[in-house]
Amino acid sequence: MQKRQECIDVGSEYCPCYLAETNNCITCSQLQGKEFCDCNWRGVCVYQELLMNRNKIRQQRDYYKSEIEDIREIGKDSYILKLKVTKTLARQLKEPGSYVFLRDERLPQYFDVPMSVMQSDALNGEITIAFKAVGAKTNSLKKCDENILVKGPYWNGIYGLSSLKSVKEKTCLVLARGISQAPALLAIEKLVKNKNKVKLVLDGGSIGELFIHDYIKDMDIDTYEEDLMSEKGRTLIKQLLLNQDVALIYSAGSDLLHMSIINILDELELEPYLAVTNNNEICCGEGICGGCTIRLKDGTRAKACKTQIDSRKVIERRVLLD
Ligand code: FES
């Protein structure tokens, strides 16, 4: 039987959404136009929620006008941006995989760009984002002076979230390369909070800077520095895997990094939990535009912006197609 897909928003305050209203729900078979229920979802019933709400969807995410508290360059065309947001939004963005859409308020909606949250301070209502200016959207961000539009919270920035959030009192290996050091921070905070022993390997990648040092200096974790795509880097990963009983690996970097980790695991015949950054192109983030749709090995399609997909399946598929 085909496994039901798991929507990152199911059971949240944003569910049911437009997908339920249009019979395109990711999780609920009845809200896909079928006459039976086989969702396997053990939380709040999406179908019932929609009926109880008189077939109306819940209020969806909106834009906030956010004050820019600080912007500083950290490496080759890379920046750290600190934004003032509501305390509620900051609290919602504390989980690993959190991201927001950002846009210069003077520009049209198609300049919206998804950005991983690096740090979130719910007490002061602040979020910190790191970004690399590579195209029209990201270059427009560095020209914002006082305010910026923020839309969120979104949570599907990582595949393998259930393992990453549930692993406790184990050894975990975190590999963070380039600008993906940013999404690694919330994951490290979660792993440390759950009393895991974290081994972190940092690699400046294309930006050439290790900018999360300042944010992790008070944490009790072991840090290594190495080019993760080099032979030396691969050897270090193998040593760590062979000498430690690693329960989970979190790979924060490109799909090539993820694939290289999968190859190492296959070579060593190890099967720890694997969590990886979601590197799919995300456009609307709501499952509506279809821009992020990927076809998995078993032929099913998945909307990468809202669906939690097995890390291996999605990476092997993407790397094969590239
Ligand atoms: S980004 Fe639009 S459907 Fe996923």
Side-chain angles (χ1 to χ4, degrees), residues 248-295:
L248 174 134
I249 302 185
Y250 170 47
S251 170
S254 66
D255 285 352
L256 286 177
L257 175 65
H258 303 339
M259 197 63 223
S260 144
I261 306 308
I262 289 174
N263 288 338
I264 290 174
L265 292 176
D266 289 347
E267 190 186 321
L268 301 179
E269 297 184 7
L270 294 173
E271 285 187 15
Y273 293 122
L274 181 65
V276 300
T277 42
N278 176 354
N279 296 330
N280 288 280
E281 286 76 23
I282 288 176
C283 181
C284 69
E286 306 286 355
I288 300 294
C289 74
C292 65
T293 303
I294 50 173
R295 192 186 279 272

Side-chain angles (χ1 to χ4, degrees), residues 143-161:
K143 294 185 193 132
C144 298
D145 16 78
E146 279 178 29
N147 297 309
I148 202 161
L149 289 181
V150 177
K151 187 167 67 145
Y154 295 86
W155 297 295
N156 211 34
I158 294 176
Y159 292 128
L161 274 174

